[in-house]
Amino acid sequence: MTTMSQTLSASTLLVVALAPLVGAIIAGVFGTAFGGNHIGRRVSHSLTIGGVALSFALSASVLWEVVAHGARFNDTIYTWMQLGGLKMEIGFMVDGLTAMMMCVVTFVSLMVHLYTIGYMQEDEGYNRFFAYISLFTFSMLMLVMSNNLLQLFFGWEAVGLVSYLLIGFWFNKPSAIFANMKAFLVNRVGDFGFILGIGLIYAYAGTLNYTEVFALSGELAKQGLPGTDWMLITVICICLFIGAMGKSAQFPLHVWLPDSMEGPTPISALIHAATMVTAGIFMVARMSPLFELSDTALNFVLVIGAITALFMGFLGIIQNDIKRVVAYSTLSQLGYMTDALGASAYSVAVFHLMTHAFFKALLFLAAGSVIMGVHHNQDIRWMGGLRKYMPITWITSLIGSLALIGTPLFAGFYSKDSIIEAVHESHLAGAGFAHFAVLAGVFITAFYSCRLYFLVFHGKERFDQNPDAHHGAHHADHDNHGHHDAHHPHESPWVVTVPLILLAIPSVLIGYLTIGPMLYGDFFKDAIFINAQAHPAMEELAKLFHGPLAMATHALTSAPFWLALAGVLASYYMYMVNPALPAAIKQRCMPIYTLLENKYYMDWFNENVLARGTRLLGTALWKGGDQGLIDGVVVNGSWKLVGWVARIVRRLQSGFLFHYALSMILGVFVLMTYFVWRS
């Protein structure tokens, strides 16, 4: 164990992690029917917000100590059990990477908590919802603060559980039930790979502690997987990354994330965008000492990230649900982060994770504000002209969109451009395809972001043209805030707009302020390890970097800027100048539209091939294996055989002496005949 820093105390870190948990338990037990509804809404939201606010304040102080005084912490808090040589511990490891993640998680969570007061005010499950999101915050903190793989896995599974509860929050809605089961099952596939990776680490390293595993990484790199010609370290890294593919929604395990929008709009979606889905990215960055030892694993990461960044962006173009556009944008940006990991630019991936958390949280919350303003319509085709009705939502949405498309000086620009450059400088086999994917993704992102922005905030007002506007049945359990004036949109209350403003500020500034220390300083010096000889991308980037302002001015002549501008102009022309054009293109390219509309038929494949095939296999094993072989042949066959033998033996055992005497005479006769014949 490393020595503890004097400036970070274990008790402070415990309070950071446990404060949201205490709020969640009190609100979840005493504020719901389960515990007898002893506390009201005000107490529930005050306790949970207070817990998360305390957690954020302490996280900010921890970050300050880490940055200003180089404080570190790596120690065991509690030994849960010991099995032979395996120590199962709960401990914290705090360095630059952890401190940054703690602040991002708690700040975004705090904004969501505040926002929820306004958004869920009419919902019967108000207290339950606060309990869930506070529990989510606790789970995420346990994941990012852990110093061993066991605790990491606990946090990993806990965020998966709470996401299941959040996605299926309206448990009377069939689509929500389907979505939470889908998220749960797809994540189990990824988690199976993850636990295999952890198992292999323990089998060959004999420990689950990060520091001890990294110290043995050189020995692991020399070993092969028994019975194969595969390198052990490659298998470990790919297994760990399969876990990240599930959690961070990478192709082909991405299918759950768009459906997760079935949770309360858009809060569970936000949580999936800003915190949970980044767990996989964080984990790979934390495991950088292992990934650096396997080019094969890094290539795999690079190609998967490139496929996700490019092809998920295409799906965002045709979406009409305001939340789903933002959801596909999240998928595409997660692909960017994964590409950076594959190019060994771990710090760039984590930097994009941070900037993206702010502007994507902003975009989700703004989407929710729009939905409230237009009385629960989510279809962007029936919006338009909202700028004059919802000025705060409009300006914050514009800031979020500008950050997302990578406008120079905005937060998203610094991280996104750095990813494109890092992938360009990578020498891995898949780097060429990845570079094409991230460049094409710039145009696509700019196009669908501006399409959303123009259709919602500009152009003609189309609220009263919505064919579903007067059919309120589908609102029965869905986002019912009690507003039924179907004509005039309105700005959201202050508990909704204040989080929007507070998230808009870092969406503009955070990239400019932090790019130097995070990418080219020593902020991550002992958290992220890069083999610079084998993977020189970060060294090359450092040579090109001359400060954030110079980077922004240089960008005006670079390909990403012009591609983003082309995307904006194309979107403006198609949706503001010549709105008949998209319909004409759709008619001409119907097969492509059908392919995108069906999400590349991946859901169809999963449901009709994998799920049905699995069910058929289960039925065959049940009918043929269980009922036919085990019950029919083994169990029933054995007693029938015993019964048949018993019936024959019973006939021989008559109980009459002369029968036995006759048998003996016949036996002697047979034996004598045999011996005479032999001689």
Side-chain angles (χ1 to χ4, degrees), residues 81-94:
M81 66 168 82
Q82 189 157 348
L83 295 173
L86 175 60
K87 284 185 180 174
M88 295 188 180
E89 300 171 332
I90 295 165
F92 295 139
M93 178 176 183
V94 179

Side-chain angles (χ1 to χ4, degrees), residues 595-612:
L595 180 69
L596 295 176
E597 184 69 31
N598 289 286
K599 308 173 201 168
Y600 310 117
Y601 293 95
M602 289 207 58
D603 282 340
W604 181 90
F605 179 80
N606 288 337
E607 286 165 33
N608 291 288
V609 177
L610 292 181
R612 190 167 289 177

Side-chain angles (χ1 to χ4, degrees), residues 254-286:
H254 66 276
V255 291
W256 66 271
L257 188 68
D259 288 36
S260 72
M261 306 302 118
E262 287 294 338
T265 318
I267 300 176
S268 67
L270 154 83
I271 286 179
H272 290 82
T275 49
M276 173 178 155
V277 289
T278 58
I281 310 296
F282 164 80
M283 183 272 294
V284 175
R286 178 60 81 203

Side-chain angles (χ1 to χ4, degrees), residues 254-534:
H254 66 276
V255 291
W256 66 271
L257 188 68
D259 288 36
S260 72
M261 306 302 118
E262 287 294 338
T265 318
I267 300 176
S268 67
L270 154 83
I271 286 179
H272 290 82
T275 49
M276 173 178 155
V277 289
T278 58
I281 310 296
F282 164 80
M283 183 272 294
V284 175
R286 178 60 81 203
M287 296 291 143
S288 58
L290 301 181
F291 278 83
E292 280 299 283
L293 297 168
S294 172
D295 277 10
T296 310
L298 287 172
N299 245 320
F300 181 68
V301 172
L302 195 64
V303 170
I304 292 287
I307 293 170
T308 310
L310 183 61
F311 289 97
M312 296 306 115
F314 285 134
L315 295 180
I317 295 171
I318 63 147
Q319 300 300 319
N320 293 316
D321 184 315
I322 187 168
K323 295 181 295 175
R324 284 186 181 255
V325 178
V326 188
Y328 280 109
S329 154
T330 299
L331 278 173
S332 180
Q333 296 307 308
L334 286 164
Y336 274 84
M337 295 176 212
T338 307
D339 265 348
L341 294 171
S344 290
Y346 305 96
S347 54
V348 179
V350 175
F351 181 49
H352 192 50
L353 182 162
M354 177 189 74
T355 60
H356 172 263
F358 293 117
F359 63 74
K360 189 53 59 72
L362 173 61
L363 284 169
F364 267 123
L365 293 187
S369 178
V370 167
I371 292 167
M372 286 173 72
V374 295
H375 315 292
H376 320 294
N377 164 39
Q378 295 179 16
D379 196 323
I380 58 177
R381 291 171 296 184
W382 311 118
M383 294 180 187
L386 285 181
R387 187 178 66 160
K388 64 180 181 189
Y389 297 105
M390 307 179 72
I392 299 174
T393 306
W394 161 68
I395 194 72
T396 50
S397 280
L398 178 59
I399 289 169
S401 300
L402 289 171
L404 173 62
I405 65 179
T407 310
L409 295 176
F410 284 73
F413 156 75
Y414 289 104
S415 50
K416 206 170 180 179
D417 256 40
S418 300
I419 291 174
I420 295 167
E421 286 176 23
V423 172
H424 180 63
E425 297 295 342
S426 175
H427 301 319
L428 294 174
F433 167 61
H435 188 242
F436 164 74
V438 291
L439 271 177
V442 172
F443 174 82
I444 297 162
T445 304
F447 183 81
Y448 65 66
S449 300
C450 290
R451 171 179 176 263
L452 174 74
Y453 170 74
F454 290 134
L455 284 175
V456 172
F457 294 104
H458 295 274
K460 287 189 286 189
E461 297 175 10
R462 301 181 295 275
F463 324 117
D464 48 355
Q465 299 171 26
N466 183 1
D468 300 319
H470 305 291
H471 304 290
H474 67 296
H475 296 154
D477 306 299
H478 192 83
D479 289 342
N480 186 11
H481 303 279
H483 306 296
H484 299 289
D485 176 9
H487 299 292
H488 295 292
H490 56 85
E491 185 61 275
S492 301
W494 71 268
V495 285
V496 170
T497 53
V498 167
L500 290 180
I501 296 164
L502 290 175
L503 282 163
I505 297 165
S507 299
V508 178
L509 299 173
I510 197 86
Y512 185 92
L513 296 174
T514 59
I515 182 168
M518 284 183 79
L519 298 195
Y520 309 110
D522 55 2
F523 187 78
F524 295 128
K525 65 179 177 189
D526 49 358
I528 289 170
F529 299 89
I530 299 173
N531 179 358
Q533 286 178 318

